[in-house]
Amino acid sequence: GTMVWMTNSDEWKASPHFVKYHEGVMARAGQHGYQIEEFDIHEYRNNPKRLASIMHSRNIQGILLCPQPSAHTVIDFPWEHFSVVTFGYSLQAPRFNTVAYAFYRSIRLILERVYQIGYKRVGLVLDADDDARFDYNVMAGYLLYEYQRAGALSIQPLVSKYRNDPALLKAWLEQEKPDAIVCQDWRVGDLLKKLGYHAPKDIGLACAGFPMSATGFSGIQENSKDLAAPAVDLLAAMIQRGERGIPEKPQQILIDGDWVDGTTLKKGA
């Protein structure tokens, strides 16, 4: 049989996480006796029934929805004929069974480790659009941890478009004076270097969910292939059980990452 890797643009190929999802999906589907074929729903945006008809005529019953290009995406499609599993939270509607990386747990674990090492002023750097894609789990984990630890925020998080304007990161560093940064975005490391900060000499850096291709970071690595296998397993079971369309009670499977000591945190601050 065939499962569909359904995308909504070709932007996914620029994401190291999503590329690994695809590689993992291909490998796991083969173990179940399925091949993977890609369809870009964006190409059929004016006539989604046409794509559904093509898939139906080829007896394709299962869809793995690649993460969307942006948060809060809504897709109109004749879902009732297909079993569907998606990745993450960027699809706002409809809601399907999803497999996602455990960002909430990861950011809390990272904060615990960073404080154990001895850092005192730990600030969060976050792109708001990124966190919307994660169902706001990064911000939620940071805020609750800090509230439970200290009853208040000692450092205001930087929530901004710092990738487009690194001066925002520079101004925040100079104002808040953190001795360590926690973030989800591994690209913060390069931005710090461009601003003249070197981790861990000048500032500690811990990343939640950096891709397998990024090396040297301290924090939690997202092994994206670990998300692919349970997504395919779930979809294969749904096809076998005849579960089609939008579920009444969508399920979430959360996958932990792996702690990596890396080189961007001091051994004892």
Side-chain angles (χ1 to χ4, degrees):
T2 300
M3 291 177 174
V4 164
W5 172 254
M6 185 176 282
T7 63
N8 196 8
S9 83
D10 61 359
E11 292 180 22
W12 69 273
K13 294 177 181 176
S15 165
H17 294 98
F18 302 167
V19 168
K20 288 297 181 184
Y21 290 167
H22 183 251
E23 291 176 5
V25 159
M26 297 275 286
R28 191 64 156 201
Q31 294 174 6
H32 283 280
Y34 286 94
Q35 58 183 3
I36 295 293
E37 188 163 346
E38 181 187 344
F39 285 105
D40 186 346
I41 196 171
H42 186 71
E43 295 177 1
Y44 296 86
R45 60 192 177 280
N46 296 322
N47 189 6
K49 290 183 179 178
R50 171 63 180 152
L51 175 55
S53 176
I54 292 171
M55 292 167 56
H56 194 62
S57 69
R58 295 171 57 181
N59 199 32
I60 295 172
Q61 300 174 335
I63 297 172
L64 291 153
L65 264 176
C66 177
Q68 302 305 306
S70 58
H72 311 302
T73 296
V74 176
I75 299 178
D76 182 28
F77 185 78
W79 302 109
E80 62 271 15
H81 303 298
F82 305 98
S83 303
V84 184
V85 172
T86 189
F87 292 89
Y89 305 102
S90 51
L91 182 69
Q92 179 172 303
R95 290 189 62 218
F96 293 111
N97 295 340
T98 186
V99 177
Y101 176 66
F103 274 114
Y104 179 83
R105 285 173 55 87
S106 293
I107 201 73
R108 287 179 61 87
L109 176 60
I110 280 178
L111 284 163
E112 185 178 321
R113 293 282 186 106
V114 169
Y115 282 116
Q116 282 177 351
I117 288 171
Y119 289 99
K120 303 297 184 188
R121 292 182 57 78
V122 182
L124 173 68
V125 173
L126 184 62
D127 181 289
D129 289 343
D130 288 348
D131 204 32
R133 297 177 62 85
F134 313 139
D135 202 24
Y136 306 100
N137 274 294
V138 174
M139 178 65 84
Y142 177 80
L143 292 177
L144 183 58
Y145 188 94
E146 287 298 301
Y147 178 78
Q148 291 174 326
R149 183 187 70 86
L153 284 179
S154 57
I155 293 182
Q156 288 299 314
L158 176 65
V159 184
S160 72
K161 295 289 187 185
Y162 57 84
R163 288 199 294 267
N164 297 336
D165 186 3
L168 295 170
L169 176 58
K170 185 173 188 291
W172 177 80
L173 287 165
E174 292 172 353
Q175 178 178 325
E176 299 291 344
K177 295 181 172 54
D179 60 2
I181 289 173
V182 294
C183 61
Q184 169 277 328
D185 180 11
W186 70 100
R187 290 160 290 198
V188 169
D190 285 337
L191 290 177
L192 287 172
K193 289 177 184 176
K194 289 176 182 176
L195 295 174
Y197 292 83
H198 296 275
K201 182 168 69 74
D202 303 314
I203 193 167
L205 177 64
C207 183
F210 59 90
M212 298 171 69
S213 57
T215 57
F217 286 99
S218 302
I220 297 180
Q221 182 181 66
E222 179 187 324
N223 184 338
S224 301
K225 290 184 178 180
D226 288 344
L227 277 74
V232 173
D233 293 347
L234 176 57
L235 184 59
M238 290 170 63
I239 293 170
Q240 191 172 25
R241 292 192 297 261
E243 297 175 9
R244 307 284 187 265
I246 302 166
E248 287 186 20
K249 303 278 188 183
Q251 301 173 16
Q252 298 180 30
I253 299 174
L254 300 179
I255 307 297
D256 288 338
D258 303 305
W259 176 264
V260 177
D261 286 333
T263 60
T264 56
L265 290 173
K266 294 179 181 178
K267 302 306 177 188

